[in-house]
Structure formats: C-alpha cells, structure tokens
Amino acid sequence: MSISPDLDTYPRPGLTVDLAVLTVVGTSDTTPELRVLVLDRAQPAGRALPGGFIRERQTVARTVDDVLRRKVGIDPADLPRPHLLRLFDDPQRDDRTWAISAAHSVSLREADLAGARGTLVPVTPHGRLGDGPPLLFDHDEIVEAAVSALRERYEIRFRYVDVHPDPDGFLSEPFTLHQLRKVHEAVVGAPLHKDNFNRRMKPLLEPLLRDGRPVLSANLRGRPATLYRHRRDADDSRTTD
C-alpha cells in the first residue's frame, strides 16, 4: 500500500489574478483609440495592471470580481465576464515572491469605466503601451496577450457570417457603419478598406427603423448616415443551430 506524501512539505507559489481592462475611447469620433487601464502602485513603486492574490479557499472568479471592486472601483455585477488568457508562471516574474498569475482580460465600454480608478493608457498597433515606463512584473506581456486575443476575435471571427459585428460590445447601439469600422480599426491597429468592410458587416446588421423608414444619424460629423444595430435573428439562428 502506497503512503500519500505530506503535501505540506511541498513549496507552494502564491496565485494572483491580474486583469487587463480594455476599452475603446472616442467611439463617436472619427479616430477612436484602444486603451488599457493602468494603476499607480506604491509598493513596489511603478505602474501595473489591477490585480491581487487569491485568498485562502477563494475562487479565481470571485477574486476577479474583488479586483474590479477594490482596485478598479466598479461593480462587476452587470459587466461581461472576463476572458482567461493563460497562466504566467515564470518563477522570476515577481522578485518579491514565487507567484503565478491567472491573467484575464475584460472589454468594457468607455462609459462603464466612468469614475474608475487608474489611467487609460493608449495601446500601440504592436500591443504595447503607447506612453510611459514599462509596467511592473510581466504585465506588459499580459497586455500584449490580451490585445492579441481581442484582435483575433475582431480579425478572424468576424469574417464568418454567424458572428456579432462588434464581438466585445465596445459600441452602444445604434451606430453607423463608419463608427463600426473605426472601432474595428482601433482594435486591429490598422486601416480597413471601407467597401470590403461594409460588405462583410451588412449581413450582420439591420437598420434602425421608424415608421418603416431607416433612421439617419444626427449630431455626428459629416453627412447623416443610416443607423444600424446587430441582427437579432442572427442571435436566434446561433442559439437554435
């Protein structure tokens, strides 16, 4: 009969949750911009993503919610669930202790971050911070992983006809095709061909109607344009297939 080893004799790493909060600012303007939320830290001094250690007998999901409440200052109750990116487990990633990070990303509308703590820092087309010093620990790598995963949802999945035109919901409905394209460009970090983009998006959209006629944009720059929302019957077809 084998004897179980005493588990207390094994060294244990600390487990943290670090959160890349992504948003697109200026969605009603001609040049929206992808940004990530960064906090200033006292100990150790520097900039970092919001995060925290998982407490004893606590779950990862509840720790994510706790980070959003305590570190970011927003209520996670009505927000989209964060995406688990991967474990960052380089033993040298934190010079204070042996710590493994269960890194997540969450995409929020700019309005959801009203009153949130921290600074929204621009993200370059290469997935790096656009200004300021590097982040503490390996948080720059976490930002790159979060941006890469976000861009995959917009660059690859949107080519298929059974997906949402704005997968992470950065735009409030209704919106124009121009606004939608500019949000995609902010996410993927490159300009997109207008006609090709419109041709791909229109099957996923339906015009906003009033008395049977399309509603046009108002109080926006340029000529009035048709307002759209994503097709509700497309959602129904995905749930019944």
Side-chain angles (χ1 to χ4, degrees):
M1 186 176 84
S2 61
I3 299 175
S4 298
D6 183 358
L7 295 181
D8 290 336
T9 64
Y10 288 86
R12 299 179 183 180
L15 183 59
T16 73
V17 165
D18 294 303
L19 192 58
V21 180
L22 300 171
T23 191
V24 175
V25 303
T27 54
S28 61
D29 299 329
T30 57
T31 54
E33 188 174 49
L34 180 65
R35 298 193 182 189
V36 64
L37 184 73
V38 171
L39 303 180
D40 290 320
R41 291 177 54 116
Q43 295 294 330
R47 304 191 306 171
L49 298 176
F53 280 88
I54 297 179
R55 298 175 182 177
E56 186 174 358
R57 305 298 177 182
Q58 188 63 277
T59 65
V60 170
R62 290 187 65 179
T63 304
V64 169
D65 288 349
D66 184 61
V67 168
L68 286 170
R69 286 194 187 95
R70 292 192 306 107
K71 299 295 183 69
V72 182
I74 58 177
D75 186 352
D78 297 323
L79 300 180
R81 293 308 306 167
H83 300 273
L84 174 63
L85 296 170
R86 64 179 175 87
L87 294 180
F88 285 75
D89 61 354
D90 184 340
Q92 307 304 318
R93 61 177 301 274
D94 188 336
D95 57 13
R96 301 170 302 171
T97 186
W98 179 23
I100 295 173
S101 173
H104 289 68
S105 70
V106 62
S107 299
L108 302 178
R109 294 174 183 165
E110 185 180 6
D112 294 329
L113 291 168
R117 303 184 188 98
T119 304
L120 291 174
V121 179
V123 177
T124 72
H126 302 290
R128 302 185 182 94
L129 297 190
D131 56 42
L135 299 181
L136 294 169
F137 317 120
D138 52 3
H139 287 190
D140 286 293
E141 294 179 39
I142 294 176
V143 172
E144 288 189 49
V147 172
S148 177
L150 173 67
R151 287 177 174 163
E152 182 174 326
R153 293 192 290 276
Y154 278 76
E155 287 182 314
I156 297 175
R157 290 185 57 205
F158 96 105
R159 298 176 187 174
Y160 301 94
V161 296
D162 62 342
V163 299
H164 196 290
D166 181 19
D168 283 40
F170 289 120
L171 267 177
S172 298
E173 295 182 342
F175 47 76
T176 67
L177 277 167
H178 176 80
Q179 288 175 309
L180 182 62
R181 176 166 56 87
K182 288 301 178 181
V183 166
H184 275 256
E185 289 177 345
V187 169
V188 303
L192 300 172
H193 189 278
K194 175 182 174 181
D195 293 338
N196 289 344
F197 179 85
N198 291 353
R199 193 160 43 246
R200 286 174 171 170
M201 288 294 106
K202 281 189 174 180
L204 307 176
L205 303 171
E206 60 186 20
L208 185 67
L209 301 178
R210 182 179 297 139
D211 298 327
R213 302 179 63 180
V215 178
L216 300 183
S217 62
N219 302 321
L220 294 177
R221 298 177 184 176
R223 297 170 54 188
T226 300
L227 291 172
Y228 292 92
R229 63 180 188 175
H230 84 276
R231 279 177 49 196
R232 288 351 187 225
D233 60 342
D235 286 343
D236 294 341
S237 66
R238 287 199 296 274
T239 57
T240 56
D241 286 350

